[in-house]
Amino acid sequence: DVQLVESGGGSVQAGGSLRLSCAASGYTYSRDCMGWFRQAPGKEREGVATIVTDSGTTYYADPVKGRFTISQDNAKNTVYLQMNSLKPGDTAMYYCAADPSLRGCLYLSTPHFAYWGQGTQVTVS
């Protein structure tokens, strides 16, 4: 079974930083798209950043450009989200997801991501 396990969430003051990790297991696709999404209370889930795992090409949602960085360690089957200059508006549950089809990568399109983690909470005050 495919498992995506997020970690690294927590509470931080505005202007602070956090690094989220997503460890994948039972996942054998050599070329796919991994992404980070978030969902705030009362809002729809939205894309934050994606990465094409074989090329390292990255895509970001406008609200996080210049502040967040998605990266990967293929040897560890782990994807990271470095979040700097955090704002209260970044408060949300953050989810890691995988899209073997690659179709969701460019536009951070939620429906194309077939596998999801349970999420990690980020709170910025």
Side-chain angles (χ1 to χ4, degrees):
D1 289 348
V2 175
Q3 280 196 320
L4 303 176
V5 180
E6 303 97 334
S7 61
S11 297
V12 64
Q13 291 188 337
S17 299
L18 284 173
R19 188 175 83 152
L20 306 183
S21 299
C22 171
S25 62
Y27 194 67
T28 59
Y29 295 97
S30 60
R31 182 170 189 261
D32 66 343
C33 176
M34 298 293 292
W36 286 97
F37 295 78
R38 66 187 183 186
Q39 187 167 18
K43 295 187 176 181
E44 291 190 357
R45 191 170 297 188
E46 62 178 5
V48 175
T50 59
I51 184 167
V52 180
T53 55
D54 67 340
S55 67
T57 303
T58 57
Y59 303 96
Y60 294 92
D62 286 342
V64 307
K65 283 181 181 177
R67 300 188 299 123
F68 290 11
T69 303
I70 188 170
S71 63
Q72 62 185 346
D73 184 336
N74 289 337
K76 296 182 179 180
N77 288 334
T78 301
V79 175
Y80 304 97
L81 185 68
Q82 177 67 43
M83 305 185 294
N84 299 327
S85 302
L86 282 161
K87 305 174 181 179
D90 295 319
T91 295
M93 184 72 78
Y94 282 71
Y95 298 91
C96 173
D99 168 22
S101 76
L102 292 169
R103 289 178 294 172
C105 222
L106 175 60
Y107 296 111
L108 288 70
S109 175
T110 306
H112 293 293
F113 284 78
Y115 304 103
W116 292 84
Q118 294 300 307
T120 185
Q121 178 67 39
V122 171
T123 302
V124 185
S125 60

